[in-house]
Amino acid sequence: MSLADYLAKNYLSADPKPSSSSKKRKRKGTHPPTSGLIIADDDLGWGIDSTSKVDEDGPMTVNANSAEFRRAKNSSWKTVGVPTPSSTDQAAADAIIASAAAESAARNALDEDEPEPSSSVVKMESGAHAGLQTADQVTAALKRRQAEDRKRFEEDGDEHSGRGKETIYRDASGRIINVAMKRAEARKKAAADEAKAAAALEAQRGDVQRAQKEKKKEDLKEAKYLGVSRFADDADMNDELKERERWNDPAAGFLSKKKQGKSVSGKPLYTGAAPPNRYGIRPGHRWDGVDRGTGFEKEYFAAGNRRRNLKELDYAWQMDE
């Protein structure tokens, strides 16, 4: 065994392998550990023992004589936002703004004082000149055209502008429509339609309903001259009650004065016996006595009589109990 092997075996040791579960950060520029001898430098440089274990998570010690430490003495504060301009910068900015405003005013004055172009220059419909020209020339020509149009409009007045005049309406063919006449025709048509609807509704009513309506109008006219109260000896009321016919009046046959067989409309009525109906309408004088109905009126009266009979029997049985 050589001397180097003996020293390496008994007195020297290799660097331990890093643990796979360690979560410590690795510094950039570090070399991976190598097996073999550890060469220790006599000049430690920063005053740190190379054999001592360095804690990466701990505070970092820096030599006070290093360049990094000297640079760290400077302030590390940063200005947030726009810094306040100094008086010199503000004066320069105001001068630039004033010069720009002066140039704009001078350009506008030059455009207004520019002489009218000769009639030989070809113009487009918008008022701009045809051909190659600058943007300022195009703008000046358009402004001149707008000023001319505005001046002509103000000189013409309301006569040519149509302000305050009545609107003229035309149909699809271009003919003028008389609005007043059209409105009158529309009102006339609406009145005619309303009268037609009222006539159709009146035609659905019978002669008796019309006669009752007319009688009600006459009664309202006469009511203006009547007293507030009516007594039992009122002649008009008694005559009206006497003239009213009742089919179940047992004393109707003893009356010496019988009413003429005429309807409310003035037409003659049938004088013989006739089956009753729910409306109380008697047949005309030309009826031949044959009932051509469906039998509904007969069943109607039979059902009514049966209902009243059962009601009376129920009352009688309750009283017997």
Side-chain angles (χ1 to χ4, degrees), residues 253-266:
F254 301 100
L255 296 176
S256 59
K257 183 181 179 182
K258 294 184 179 181
K259 186 178 180 181
Q260 300 292 335
K262 290 185 178 180
S263 64
V264 179
S265 59

Side-chain angles (χ1 to χ4, degrees), residues 283-305:
H285 67 287
R286 298 181 183 278
W287 184 51
D288 56 358
V290 179
D291 187 5
R292 296 178 176 84
T294 59
F296 177 78
E297 301 293 336
K298 182 178 179 180
E299 295 293 335
Y300 175 81
F301 285 105
N305 294 335

